[in-house]
Amino acid sequence: MEFRPLRAFVEVVRQGGFSRAAKTVFATQSTVSKAVKQLEDEIGVPLLDRIGHRSVLTAAGEIVYRRGVKLLADRDDLLAELDEIRGLKRGVLRLGLPPVGSSTLFAPLFAVYRQRYPGIEVRLDEHGSEELEEMLRNGDLDFAGALLSQSREFDWEPVRREPLVALLPRNNPLCARPSVSLTDVRDIPFIIFDSGFSLHRIILDASRRAGFEPTIAARSSQIDFMIELVGAGLGTAFLPRMIAAQRRHPAVRHVLLDEPDTEWIMAMAWRRGAYLSGAARAWLDLVREIHVDDQGRQDRSIPSIT
């Protein structure tokens, strides 16, 4: 099986159509269509059910897509490893970072990395943890900064642990307490991150464990906007203590969240078993050098991350 038709087919599925896929692989739409047809002829069954302007995966197409993503990622690893054996002097680091905490935890690493390795091109993607996890799985990233979870697909290196704080309007009586639980704030509307963020899942899961379904006043991916909503009295939001401390607001108070299994643990993740290029290994060494989390390194019972 040739990789070029397989890559064209995978991109048609990822991008949701032939025209978008053509832009991604820098080819014409006709070339992409021919490549997919070539792959179908080689396999002997249709991979896409073309309905008008839409294309839907057939059962065979689902299998080829799932396997094809891994084959292409493994091929990229192979080529990268061979390039290094040939003495590659320049490289690429593909890095995914979440919007929450990246400026504090990873911006200093960028500066040091660029100073040490000026010939390495850094390709940065910024998304929520769930999308970063999918990009790692597909081989689109070397590393992603994300929160710990139960996934066994990735290896990880701990970076930072922080408790969460509840952000409350300054006139709320709960602000006088040293800490609050989710049950204490259950009657206040929640202002939470969008569903693609791990903090979205953490807060909702903890609320359900506490026996209630919170009222959602707003969902957002913008921290400053969420804080402004709290200041306007719309509800309560939740942030890692480190992040909240950097964004003080005169109308908002921070109260420690005393709730089990809500600690914010940021780590650097990579696909288990993936080949790490020289550029990637240099980044990981730098993470370990600058962000050594002694507690995380000793407690290996903590599961892998997304």
Side-chain angles (χ1 to χ4, degrees):
M1 178 183 294
E2 295 184 20
F3 282 100
R4 186 173 297 176
L6 181 61
R7 186 174 295 278
F9 168 70
V10 166
E11 288 302 330
V12 168
V13 179
R14 281 181 179 173
Q15 305 301 325
F18 286 84
S19 59
R20 291 181 180 178
K23 295 178 181 178
T24 302
V25 300
F26 303 103
T28 65
Q29 183 172 337
S30 174
T31 299
V32 172
S33 296
K34 290 178 181 177
V36 173
K37 182 63 167 58
Q38 176 185 340
L39 184 61
E40 290 178 321
D41 290 343
E42 181 179 352
I43 294 175
V45 292
L47 302 178
L48 294 170
D49 188 4
R50 297 163 177 80
I51 306 173
H53 295 292
R54 296 174 56 248
S55 296
V56 179
L57 281 172
T58 63
E62 292 179 359
I63 295 172
V64 173
Y65 174 73
R66 185 176 67 252
R67 298 283 187 175
V69 165
K70 186 176 186 306
L71 281 171
L72 291 171
D74 288 343
R75 173 184 180 272
D76 290 342
D77 286 348
L78 170 64
L79 294 178
E81 191 167 0
L82 290 175
D83 280 341
E84 286 201 1
I85 292 174
R86 298 186 188 108
L88 184 67
K89 301 300 182 183
R90 302 175 69 88
V92 175
L93 174 67
R94 304 170 302 167
L95 188 61
L97 297 178
V100 181
S102 292
S103 59
T104 300
L105 297 178
F106 299 115
L109 270 72
F110 259 88
V112 175
Y113 190 83
R114 289 293 299 164
Q115 184 179 20
R116 290 184 182 179
Y117 312 105
I120 302 297
E121 176 189 355
V122 180
R123 298 177 184 172
L124 180 62
D125 284 282
E126 296 178 282
H127 300 286
S129 290
E130 291 188 6
E131 187 166 350
L132 290 178
E133 175 186 356
E134 186 63 23
M135 294 179 73
L136 268 183
R137 185 179 294 112
N138 292 341
D140 296 329
L141 296 174
D142 297 314
F143 294 102
L147 300 188
L148 291 171
S149 81
Q150 296 296 329
S151 175
R152 299 291 178 181
E153 299 176 81
F154 309 110
D155 287 320
W156 56 275
E157 184 68 25
V159 173
R160 183 70 172 255
R161 294 167 177 263
E162 286 286 325
L164 297 185
V165 295
L167 278 61
L168 295 163
R170 65 181 180 182
N171 59 354
N172 191 297
L174 293 173
C175 293
R177 296 190 183 184
S179 64
V180 294
S181 67
L182 286 175
T183 302
D184 294 329
V185 297
R186 64 180 298 170
D187 294 329
I188 304 174
F190 283 14
I191 300 164
I192 63 175
F193 282 95
D194 289 331
S195 59
F197 290 75
S198 290
L199 278 174
H200 173 99
R201 183 185 69 248
I202 289 172
I203 293 300
L204 290 188
D205 287 351
S207 299
R208 289 159 186 160
R209 289 195 301 271
F212 72 97
E213 194 72 27
T215 299
I216 306 299
R219 304 169 191 255
S220 178
S221 61
Q222 303 299 318
I223 295 176
D224 291 338
F225 180 61
M226 296 168 71
I227 294 174
E228 289 293 338
L229 293 180
V230 174
L234 191 63
T236 180
F238 305 92
L239 287 175
R241 181 174 57 187
M242 172 190 72
I243 308 301
Q246 297 170 345
R247 289 173 164 84
R248 294 287 181 179
H249 189 289
V252 176
R253 296 293 179 266
H254 305 162
V255 183
L256 185 67
L257 182 64
D258 185 10
E259 193 72 40
D261 300 322
T262 56
E263 189 179 27
W264 186 79
I265 308 175
M266 178 60 68
M268 187 59 59
W270 62 98
R271 186 164 53 92
R272 180 163 293 175
Y275 169 74
L276 296 181
S277 67
R281 288 197 301 271
W283 173 260
L284 183 58
D285 289 343
L286 184 61
V287 170
R288 288 169 170 163
E289 173 187 337
I290 295 181
H291 286 304
V292 176
D293 184 335
D294 290 333
Q295 181 178 354
R297 293 173 71 84
Q298 294 168 9
D299 184 6
R300 285 300 182 178
S301 63
I302 297 175
S304 301
I305 73 170
T306 64

